[in-house]
Structure formats: structure tokens, C-alpha cells
């Protein structure tokens, strides 16, 4: 499939951070999904939006680099001490040139081209905001799961808070709430990304939740959330592989 929106994606670099030593799922980027490594699956989705020359995998592990290079995927080696995927994206961006950097987390094997473009367009429309994707939660398991960050936005779709807990909390019996989850596609300017990385530690809001986007709020950098399709399912733990494979089978 050919990349779309060439004019819109000019000057954009997509970085896929891929760390081998995940605490919840060691070796996750190399986990096979219907026989294809997860990191390769993510790359194949991203290049439906951007040319392969504008996509790079950022890793700290030679096993991941080897698999990527065997698949013709450009890689950048980064430090093993990066605090988060976004810190790893910054290390990669320092070695490359771009006007806008897109972080597509390496655990989003079903991410759609349209959703990546929505984030790119969101950044173009909101150059003073970091942009992150969200979608409605349709599965009760995701509301209750600590692996799924839940999003609260104000009436301007600016991020107020994000939590692994089921928020917003319903005080009144029979009340209604719209639950949204984070989709791990982000857009930054180089300056925003530099400020994030140079903080040098997990911030006050970020640390207890272990949700990296919250560092921008601590730094006073506003985050605009944009609605996407909800087609993507993140692979957080080994059990998610079967869920993704089932969805891939349905879509074939």
C-alpha cells in the first residue's frame, strides 16, 4: 500500500520506540503475531501513511535491530537507560532532522493510517500543543484494566488528566460518563520533545501513574487530544496477542 497525504506529511518523522526489556512483557517487540514480529507489524502499518525513509525504529537492543534490518527497516540505536519511549524518541530525533516528530508506540500493531494522519493534522492545527490520540472505550474490560490509560479532557479537548484508574468517577448512582482511552500516537515539535527529555526524571504526575504524557502537563506544555477510530489494540501483556490475532483474522 502506498503512503498517503504526501503534502501533509512533508517534514514529518515517525519514530517507533522498541525496548526489549519490558517489565510486563520481556522481548515484546519480537513477539510473533500470526508469525510476524510485533515491531515489524507496527512498521508495516506506519508506512501506509509515511514513506519508509521517514520511519525509523529506535531501540537499545541488537536482537531488535537485527530483525528490523532483515526486514529492511531503518533503525537507530539508543541508550538502555531511557526512562520512557518518548525519551527514546528524543534520542533518535537528535540523530535525524524533522519539523514534526510522531511517536507511534511499538505495541500498536493495528494502528490505522487515517489515525496517524489525524494526529499529524491535529499538530498542524495546534502547533503550540503536543497532540495525542484517544478513542471511546467500548469494552468494559478496558475501563477496569490498569494497563489501559483512561483520558479526561475539557470542553476544548485539552488533556486534564490521564489515569490507569477508571476515570471519570461516577458519584451519582445511575450517572453516565463517556470513557476514553489513550491511543499511543503522539506528535511533538523538536522543542517540546527536548523539554520533555531534558527534565531528566519522571515528573510528579507521571511517576505514580507511569504515563509519560503527563510529564508535559507538569512542564506546563498543553496537550490536545484528538479522536481516532479506536481500531488499534495495544499489546501490553502476552494475553493481548491472542486478541490482536483474532482481530486480524476478522479483518482479512
Amino acid at each position: 500500500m502506498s503512503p498517503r497525504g504526501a503534502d501533509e506529511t512533508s517534514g514529518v518523522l515517525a519514530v517507533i520506540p522498541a525496548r526489549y526489556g519490558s517489565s510486563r512483557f520481556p522481548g515484546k517487540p519480537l513477539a510473533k503475531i500470526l508469525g510476524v514480529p510485533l515491531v515489524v507489524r507496527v512498521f508495516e502499518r506506519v508506512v501506509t501513511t509515511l514513506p519508509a525513509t521517514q520511519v525509523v525504529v529506535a531501540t537499545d537492543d541488537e536482537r531488535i535491530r537485527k530483525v528490523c534490518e532483515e526486514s529492511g527497516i531503518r533503525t537507530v540505536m539508543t541508550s538502555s537507560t531511557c526512562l520512557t519511549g518518548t525519551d527514546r524518541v528524543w534520542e533518535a530525533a537528535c540523530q535525524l532532522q524533522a519539523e514534526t516528530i510522531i511517536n507511534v508506540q511499538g505495541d500498536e500493531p493495528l494502528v490505522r493510517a487515517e489515525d496517524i494522519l489525524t494526529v499529524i493534522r491535529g499538530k498542524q492545527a495546534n502547533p503550540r500543543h503536543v497532540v495525542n490520540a484517544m478513542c471511546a472505550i467500548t469494552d468494559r474490560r478496558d475501563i477496569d484494566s490498569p494497563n489501559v490509560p483512561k483520558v479526561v479532557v475539557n470542553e476544548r479537548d485539552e488533556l486534564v488528566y490521564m489515569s490507569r484508574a477508571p476515570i471519570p468517577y461516577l458519584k451519582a448512582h445511575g450517572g453516565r460518563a463517556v470513557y476514553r482511552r489513550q491511543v499511543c500516537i503522539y506528535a511533538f515539535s523538536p522543542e517540546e520533545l527536548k523539554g520533555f527529555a531534558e527534565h531528566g526524571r519522571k515528573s510528579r504526575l507521571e511517576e505514580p501513574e507511569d504515563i509519560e504524557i503527563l510529564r508535559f502537563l507538569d512542564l506546563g506544555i498543553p496537550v490536545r487530544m484528538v479522536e481516532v477510530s479506536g481500531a488499534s489494540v495495544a499489546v501490553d501483556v502476552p494475553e493481548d496477542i491472542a486478541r490482536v490475532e483474532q482481530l486480524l483474522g476478522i479483518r482479512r
Side-chain angles (χ1 to χ4, degrees):
M1 188 180 295
S2 300
R4 320 173 204 189
D7 292 341
E8 294 176 300
T9 60
S10 176
V12 174
L13 172 71
V15 182
I16 304 168
R19 179 172 68 101
Y20 191 89
S22 168
S23 59
R24 287 177 292 177
F25 193 170
K28 178 167 66 172
L30 300 184
K32 297 290 182 66
I33 297 178
L34 297 179
V36 179
L38 173 59
V39 67
V40 177
R41 286 270 181 196
V42 177
F43 173 84
E44 289 173 345
R45 305 297 292 187
V46 177
V47 294
T48 63
T49 307
L50 292 160
T53 54
Q54 290 174 232
V55 184
V56 64
V57 169
T59 186
D60 61 346
D61 192 274
E62 283 294 328
R63 289 164 289 190
I64 295 172
R65 182 197 64 78
K66 184 174 184 292
V67 166
C68 287
E69 293 195 348
E70 287 172 352
S71 298
I73 301 171
R74 183 168 58 143
T75 59
V76 172
M77 296 304 293
T78 55
S79 169
S80 60
T81 59
C82 292
L83 293 174
T84 69
T86 302
D87 292 287
R88 192 172 308 284
V89 169
W90 167 244
E91 283 200 8
C94 286
Q95 303 177 50
L96 304 162
Q97 294 292 320
E99 298 171 15
T100 301
I101 299 106
I102 306 296
N103 175 353
V104 182
Q105 292 286 69
D107 56 8
E108 295 277 352
L110 300 179
V111 64
R112 287 186 171 178
E114 292 83 356
D115 295 342
I116 298 172
L117 278 175
T118 294
V119 173
I120 292 170
R121 290 167 183 155
K123 181 60 176 171
Q124 291 166 347
N126 300 278
R128 297 183 182 276
H129 288 68
V130 167
V131 174
N132 191 192
M134 64 179 178
C135 69
I137 295 177
T138 57
D139 189 325
R140 180 72 215 189
R141 291 174 298 176
D142 289 341
I143 296 173
D144 296 328
S145 173
N147 295 324
V148 178
K150 272 67 71 175
V151 176
V152 172
V153 294
N154 62 22
E155 293 186 356
R156 298 178 299 279
D157 282 337
E158 293 169 333
L159 179 64
V160 174
Y161 193 61
M162 199 177 290
S163 178
R164 297 183 183 277
I167 58 172
Y169 174 76
L170 290 180
K171 180 180 178 182
H173 179 70
R176 296 180 63 190
V178 175
Y179 290 95
R180 297 179 177 90
R181 67 175 176 87
Q182 182 191 40
V183 178
C184 291
I185 314 168
Y186 316 80
F188 328 94
S189 68
E191 294 74 23
E192 291 160 345
L193 201 50
K194 180 180 180 182
F196 178 97
E198 288 187 345
H199 189 64
R201 58 181 173 80
K202 293 191 175 184
S203 68
R204 183 177 297 180
L205 293 177
E206 175 190 10
E207 178 71 38
E209 295 276 9
D210 194 25
I211 299 174
E212 61 209 72
I213 198 75
L214 293 173
R215 194 185 308 178
F216 289 106
L217 296 190
D218 269 323
L219 295 174
I221 299 172
V223 178
R224 180 82 63 177
M225 303 299 297
V226 294
E227 291 268 6
V228 296
S229 68
S232 188
V233 175
V235 176
D236 295 303
V237 292
E239 292 74 22
D240 292 329
I241 295 288
R243 186 177 176 187
V244 169
E245 288 184 331
Q246 181 183 26
L247 288 169
L248 281 170
I250 292 170
R251 292 178 191 178
R252 285 183 170 180

